[in-house]
Amino acid sequence: MDAQSYNAALTELRTVRDEIKRARAALTKLEADRDQRIGQLAAYGKAKAERIAPAAGLSVADIVALAPSLAPESLTTAEPAPPAPAAAPAAPAADDTLVEAAPEPAPQTGAAAPAMTGRQPSPAVSPAQAGSPADPGQGRAAAPDALRELPSIPEGPAGDSWFTHTPKLVSQSPNFTQQARSTVFLDTDTGVLVHRDQTHRLDLGDASVAAVLTAVFHVLPEGVERIYITAGDPWHRDADRYPYLRDAVAAWLNAPTPGWRTDTGRGRDRMAGHFVHARNPVGRYQREGGEQHVEIRSVGEWFDVDGADPATVRDAFVLLWQALRRHWNDAVIMGSPSQTGRDLWTRTIPQRGQHADGFPVLSEELRGLLHATAGQGRNELLTPPRVPAQLPQLVEYDRTFAYAKHTWKSPVGTPRRITAHTFAAWSEKEQQRALYGSGHWQVRVTVPDTWNHVGLLPAPAPGDRAWHYPAAPNATFTTWAGGPEIHTALTNPLAPWRIEILDGILWDDGKPLDDWAKKLKETWTNLSAQAHFQGDPQQARAAHLASRAVRSILLYGIGAFAQRPRMVTGTTPRTMERDVPPDAEIISFDNELITWQKPTGFSRDPNAHPEWAAAIWSGARAALLTQRHRDDNTYAGALHTPPGTVVAFRTDALYLTAPQPWPHHHQPGDYLLKGHLTHPVTAPTTEEELLALRDAGRTALIQTGGGA
């Protein structure tokens, strides 16, 4: 083969590649349509998986996975689990101490497992040899073949070396003043542009990036640095031409912009290149041959505009800035709530005292482990037969400003490894203190044989970072969980779960986020009061939006501490295809450009603290199950409802089949009645169906005079 035929073959190969991508997109749409039709067929009372399977070209197992209600009787009736060796009684006397046998013979340590105290007799938390295989006598495993396996800490010195900090990487108080950026608010549907106290009406033509930049800089020749889109979502204008929204967004961001090019970044908060997101993208542009920079962003990053005009949105940002300035005299609203949240937090780092030298960043190995093993919000839809096919009602409770409830304590200091052997050697009091402290634990979990409620602990499910919550009696699984969830599993009001400690990470307890969170909570309270008592409807609406922005600052600020491995997005002209990085994934293309992305691992971010995010997320998930209201001497949460009444969990929200008498005092973490359908409804089987019922329930509650 000579050079000419080689290049010709490459051209033909690229053509085949493009055809494959189009075919895959078409196949994905067809498969989604097939799965939806299977769900519709499953709703028929006499539907059978054996008949649907050949019609769909799938196996009976595939049909049952898509529609669990169609499982044949022989599959839904579990074989009795073999008795576990040395298993403890299901309902021990209050003074019993349960000591579970280790799955494999272990050296005798002489240490007793702790009997955890609580409202119910607690099980022992027994040590097991780290990494030992699950005992087949411990119950039916939760589909081990289908689940992804979570990473573990290597044994011996290799794993011990993880327990340190990254050299010369420390969160410290900044020694500079953040610079504000000139900002405008634009509705691309109406063309209304608001800049300070001025309002303009623009002709945006096709609402492309080029049209937006041309129109804005025509009426504001001195320039602006940030354009917030309040309505119109121009990046979705050609969505029907692409199989995925991300493709449409990437095409909009990367369309030709005469006189402009993609920004390469500047300043201390250097942000370069576009951010391709299906709903809230960010376009960053720089004037050709000049120093003019501009961002185009969605205000949806901050709050749901819900029909507010650009002037009201501008007023919301003004009120937000004024409220933050009462606590931070140098507060600046940055492009996103996560950027703003972390910048404000750095300005609460003490300059004297215990942490005056800052907060060191964990080793990259521990950050990677936390990234893989610490999930965020609980999102779970329970479908028939776990709930009735016809729900008597659907009630939505949303935890008000939920994450702010869980910032009072966070991990600090150099982490310690707590192996199963170390844990076993401790006294019962030391074990209890460790489990109630700031820790992240690898555990083997067994569900009680009498359990008939929702799952308590997250377990890895198929898919990248997917989680589910096993609840079948006697199910056994291995996972990682935070202290709040371990505590809930041991002391829940129904029946204690059996927990075996395999390995763990333990920090000292500290308050690195307490001052930051208190200031944000006070800001939120102030703006919420303004929204309630303000006589001017527009200002009341603006104050409400500003209070929602404070929630986003804390919520996304916490998420930013998690510091996911970075994904870089870039574009390459089709004529220079060989310049696409060899490790990049092509995510979209057209006749002019190829858009690609590639992982770059963890950056040297001095404010990366996934241990803080993990602790808060664990506390929030636990509070969805049970939460004490001391002032009212009562409890709220899913475990305080009858079995079969929980329809769904959605981050901070619970969906139930009946209203609950839970107190709401407008404090962070309180359960707020957010939606209520008082009539029977068909149980949702997809997220889309749940969201449709959620919206209907909120509308119905407002119409009856309730709601937020």
Side-chain angles (χ1 to χ4, degrees):
M1 177 180 288
D2 56 20
Q4 184 176 359
S5 58
Y6 175 79
N7 290 329
L10 280 177
T11 301
E12 293 172 358
L13 181 60
R14 295 182 189 113
T15 301
V16 172
R17 179 205 63 195
D18 293 353
E19 292 175 353
I20 290 173
K21 184 172 180 65
R22 294 189 188 95
R24 281 177 176 164
L27 176 61
T28 300
K29 293 182 70 174
L30 287 172
E31 289 175 337
D33 181 57
R34 177 201 63 196
D35 296 349
Q36 184 177 13
R37 292 174 186 273
I38 291 171
Q40 293 168 350
L41 288 169
Y44 176 57
K46 297 181 180 180
K48 293 184 179 297
E50 299 85 41
R51 289 199 63 190
I52 297 175
L58 298 173
S59 68
V60 171
D62 292 332
I63 298 298
V64 171
L66 291 167
S69 62
L70 297 179
E73 187 67 25
S74 61
L75 293 180
T76 57
T77 303
E79 294 294 327
D95 58 351
D96 282 349
T97 297
L98 304 183
V99 182
E100 182 179 271
E104 293 184 340
Q108 296 297 316
T109 63
M116 310 302 291
T117 59
R119 294 180 294 281
Q120 293 284 333
S122 302
V125 180
S126 63
Q129 292 303 307
S132 59
D135 182 357
Q138 290 298 318
R140 187 177 60 223
D145 292 339
L147 304 181
R148 76 185 194 281
E149 184 176 347
L150 296 179
S152 300
I153 303 171
E155 296 184 9
D160 295 341
S161 67
W162 291 15
F163 288 75
T164 183
H165 293 111
T166 301
K168 299 180 181 179
L169 198 60
V170 182
S171 303
Q172 294 180 315
S173 182
N175 58 3
F176 66 93
T177 300
Q178 195 65 255
Q179 297 299 309
R181 295 192 177 181
S182 175
T183 302
V184 298
F185 303 89
L186 174 64
D187 181 333
T188 59
D189 276 340
T190 63
V192 173
L193 174 79
V194 173
H195 176 231
R196 298 177 182 168
D197 59 349
Q198 301 174 358
T199 300
H200 307 270
R201 188 170 294 275
L202 310 183
D203 179 3
L204 297 176
D206 61 357
S208 63
V209 173
V212 169
L213 293 177
T214 299
V216 169
F217 281 85
H218 176 72
V219 299
L220 299 171
E222 70 278 10
V224 296
E225 296 177 280
R226 185 175 296 135
I227 301 171
Y228 276 123
I229 305 299
T230 64
D233 295 344
W235 37 81
H236 293 162
R237 291 295 174 94
D238 294 327
D240 56 346
R241 294 174 49 195
Y242 298 90
Y244 304 107
L245 277 181
R246 276 178 57 94
D247 290 348
V249 171
W252 187 84
L253 291 172
N254 293 303
T257 50
W260 297 84
R261 60 179 174 83
T262 302
D263 201 347
T264 54
R266 64 194 173 111
R268 293 179 181 271
D269 59 334
R270 181 186 180 96
M271 299 293 286
H274 306 318
F275 175 60
V276 181
H277 186 277
R279 303 289 177 184
N280 299 312
V282 181
R284 301 184 178 97
Y285 303 92
Q286 181 177 353
R287 180 83 76 174
E288 291 280 7
E291 291 300 317
Q292 205 162 40
H293 302 254
V294 64
E295 286 184 332
I296 300 178
R297 310 187 72 112
S298 169
V299 82
E301 293 180 86
W302 292 87
F303 44 69
D304 183 359
V305 173
D306 195 22
D309 59 38
T312 303
V313 175
R314 175 215 43 209
D315 291 347
F317 276 86
V318 171
L319 289 174
L320 172 64
W321 177 76
Q322 292 172 341
L324 291 174
R325 281 278 171 143
R326 295 188 179 98
H327 299 286
W328 288 275
N329 58 14
D330 56 352
V332 168
I333 297 177
M334 302 178 71
S336 70
S338 61
Q339 289 174 293
T340 305
R342 289 214 301 180
D343 180 69
L344 293 176
W345 172 74
T346 62
R347 297 172 194 279
T348 64
I349 297 175
Q351 298 187 13
R352 58 176 62 90
Q354 182 180 3
H355 297 292
D357 293 333
F359 297 94
V361 173
L362 293 176
S363 69
E364 186 167 332
E365 291 83 1
L366 279 188
R367 281 182 281 153
L369 181 74
L370 287 165
H371 166 68
T373 62
Q376 193 172 349
R378 178 170 182 169
N379 289 285
E380 182 183 22
L381 176 62
L382 285 75
T383 57
R386 295 186 67 183
V387 297
Q390 194 75 3
L391 307 179
Q393 303 180 54
L394 185 65
V395 189
E396 178 191 6
Y397 286 96
D398 186 70
R399 294 187 66 228
T400 301
F401 204 17
Y403 285 4
K405 177 80 172 179
H406 307 286
T407 55
W408 63 276
K409 181 181 76 173
S410 300
V412 295
T414 302
R416 292 174 288 156
R417 182 178 190 178
I418 310 300
T419 64
H421 181 77
T422 300
F423 188 85
W426 282 351
S427 68
E428 178 182 325
K429 184 175 181 180
E430 289 173 317
Q431 291 174 338
Q432 289 178 329
R433 186 185 303 118
L435 291 175
Y436 298 159
S438 295
H440 191 59
W441 302 94
Q442 186 181 33
V443 292
R444 184 178 296 114
V445 183
T446 302
V447 182
D449 57 6
T450 58
W451 192 257
N452 66 346
H453 218 295
V454 299
L456 304 187
L457 292 171
D464 181 36
R465 295 192 57 78
W467 302 89
H468 70 153
Y469 295 80
N474 288 320
T476 297
F477 58 95
T478 299
T479 190
W480 286 83
E485 292 167 288
I486 299 293
H487 177 265
T488 298
L490 291 167
T491 65
N492 73 81
L494 302 180
W497 285 30
R498 185 171 298 280
I499 307 293
E500 301 174 68
I501 299 297
L502 304 178
D503 213 338
I505 311 167
L506 188 63
W507 292 266
D508 294 333
D509 293 340
K511 295 182 177 291
L513 304 177
D514 195 44
D515 185 34
W516 173 72
K518 282 180 178 177
K519 290 178 177 180
L520 289 176
K521 283 185 278 190
E522 290 176 14
T523 303
W524 172 78
T525 300
N526 177 273
L527 289 168
S528 298
Q530 287 187 54
H532 184 72
F533 294 109
Q534 174 61 251
D536 184 315
Q538 179 173 326
Q539 287 300 300
R541 179 65 180 155
H544 172 72
L545 295 178
S547 72
R548 300 297 293 172
V550 176
R551 175 186 177 276
S552 295
I553 288 173
L554 185 134
L555 177 69
Y556 294 116
I558 290 169
F561 286 125
Q563 196 225 16
R564 306 298 184 201
R566 297 183 65 188
M567 186 71 75
V568 173
T569 303
T571 59
T572 301
R574 288 292 292 264
T575 56
M576 301 174 65
E577 189 161 340
R578 66 182 62 191
D579 292 338
V580 173
D583 56 342
E585 174 194 2
I586 296 176
I587 58 176
S588 69
F589 56 85
D590 55 28
N591 292 331
E592 301 293 332
L593 292 173
I594 299 169
T595 303
W596 48 265
Q597 65 180 16
K598 69 171 188 173
T600 61
F602 292 103
S603 64
R604 282 188 60 83
D605 182 351
N607 297 321
H609 292 285
E611 68 276 20
W612 298 348
I616 292 168
W617 293 338
S618 178
R621 290 193 299 268
L624 281 175
L625 299 168
T626 180
Q627 174 176 281
R628 184 185 178 192
H629 292 261
R630 288 184 174 83
D631 294 342
D632 301 276
N633 193 29
T634 189
Y635 291 86
L639 294 181
H640 302 280
T641 66
T645 61
V646 178
V647 178
F649 298 87
R650 189 167 173 81
T651 309
D652 302 332
L654 269 178
Y655 296 83
L656 309 172
T657 61
Q660 304 295 320
W662 295 337
H664 186 268
H665 302 303
H666 302 280
Q667 295 299 313
D670 287 357
Y671 281 90
L672 171 67
L673 178 62
K674 198 75 173 287
H676 192 181
L677 291 173
T678 58
H679 53 79
V681 297
T682 301
T685 58
T686 66
E687 183 182 26
E688 291 74 16
E689 293 174 357
L690 175 66
L691 295 180
L693 291 173
R694 177 200 68 181
D695 295 343
R698 291 180 178 180
T699 300
L701 185 63
I702 292 173
Q703 290 174 346
T704 58

